[in-house]
Amino acid sequence: MALVECETRSRVAVLTLNDPPVNGYTHEMMKELDAAILACRFDDAVQALVVTGHGEKFFCAGANINMLKTAAPSFKYQFCLHANETLLRLEHTPKLVIAALNGHTVGGGLEIALACDLRVARRGAGKVGLPEVALGVLPGTGGTQRLARLVGKPRAIKLMCEGTTFDFDTALAYGLVDEVWQTETHAAFLDRAIAYAQGFTTPGRAALAVGRIKRAVQTGMEMGLEQGLAFERELQAELFASEDAREGIAAYVEKRKASFQGK
């Protein structure tokens, strides 16, 4: 059984975390996720990614606690290091990544979602939060860093130190998720998430530009302003040389809808 299932639907790769009942991640799952991210990077047929969880109850409950209980300290360190590298790879991939939160998204599960560019959730499907403090540890797969960058330092400290979990509508109010959808079934939610992702792909959207916007923000925000502007210029020069830019400018001048090819 694959711990990370990958299928492509009309330019969107769907990566499903698959270890029932809670989709907790092990080193084996992270290795499969890492490999899937790399495969999607190199696949020109993939223009956007959706990350979701298997089943209707859990997106991901975080790291497999039973695994951590028996692991040596040296293994735990290397495990956390590789998980960080995997999520950085997801963040640096020049294709839009959307987390489709189909159920409970807690601990390391939320940390995976935070490494995605956008987050959509199914109303009433579960809780979200970083409750690691109850285990005597901190959110160690990027949670302390990405949550603070997303919601600000005071709220991030409060949420992590309290260790509370809350529903997706509250997460929307906090800025943790971008959309909360009312859908009758899990299948309908996933279909809507894929359709949402397809809205950022060709021919209606310049997927190359979308990917470079992502890179400019995700990487540029970690630089000083002057360095970020230089990085932005390099990405813009790359886009100006693309067929999509020529098509977009021509369509604007000719007052017609652009048809992008992702080239």
Side-chain angles (χ1 to χ4, degrees), residues 221-238:
M221 284 292 290
E222 303 307 314
M223 302 174 176
L225 178 60
E226 187 173 349
Q227 291 75 27
L229 290 170
F231 182 53
E232 178 186 85
R233 287 194 300 274
E234 293 302 315
L235 293 173
Q236 183 74 301
E238 183 182 342

Side-chain angles (χ1 to χ4, degrees), residues 36-118:
I37 294 165
L38 283 173
C40 290
R41 276 192 185 183
F42 281 92
D43 189 346
D44 290 338
V46 172
Q47 296 181 357
L49 290 77
V50 169
V51 181
T52 193
H54 173 81
E56 301 196 13
K57 293 185 177 180
F58 282 87
F59 172 80
C60 176
N64 185 303
I65 301 300
N66 290 328
M67 175 205 69
L68 292 177
K69 182 179 178 181
T70 58
S74 61
F75 176 87
K76 292 175 185 175
Y77 179 84
Q78 301 298 340
F79 169 68
C80 289
L81 176 59
H82 178 253
N84 275 317
E85 291 168 338
T86 298
L87 297 187
L88 280 170
R89 205 182 314 281
L90 189 66
E91 212 166 44
H92 292 164
T93 295
K95 300 178 182 184
L96 196 71
V97 182
I98 297 168
L101 309 182
N102 55 298
H104 297 297
T105 305
V106 294
L110 178 55
E111 291 175 298
I112 292 173
L114 288 172
C116 299
D117 305 304
L118 299 173

Side-chain angles (χ1 to χ4, degrees), residues 57-196:
K57 293 185 177 180
F58 282 87
F59 172 80
C60 176
N64 185 303
I65 301 300
N66 290 328
M67 175 205 69
L68 292 177
K69 182 179 178 181
T70 58
S74 61
F75 176 87
K76 292 175 185 175
Y77 179 84
Q78 301 298 340
F79 169 68
C80 289
L81 176 59
H82 178 253
N84 275 317
E85 291 168 338
T86 298
L87 297 187
L88 280 170
R89 205 182 314 281
L90 189 66
E91 212 166 44
H92 292 164
T93 295
K95 300 178 182 184
L96 196 71
V97 182
I98 297 168
L101 309 182
N102 55 298
H104 297 297
T105 305
V106 294
L110 178 55
E111 291 175 298
I112 292 173
L114 288 172
C116 299
D117 305 304
L118 299 173
R119 287 155 293 280
V120 299
R122 183 182 176 199
R123 177 167 283 119
K127 299 288 188 178
V128 61
L130 294 172
E132 284 90 342
V133 68
L135 301 176
V137 297
L138 56 74
T141 313
T144 63
Q145 302 305 301
R146 291 190 177 94
L147 185 66
R149 283 164 169 77
L150 189 63
V151 304
K153 288 191 290 184
R155 174 164 283 168
I157 291 170
K158 181 176 186 292
L159 291 176
M160 288 184 284
C161 289
E162 289 179 348
T164 54
T165 60
F166 38 88
D167 62 26
F168 289 127
D169 284 296
T170 301
L172 179 66
Y174 287 163
L176 271 174
V177 299
D178 304 286
E179 303 269 352
V180 178
W181 299 332
Q182 186 74 44
T183 58
E184 292 185 2
T185 66
H186 168 67
F189 170 70
L190 183 56
D191 285 346
R192 184 168 177 180
I194 293 168
Y196 181 65

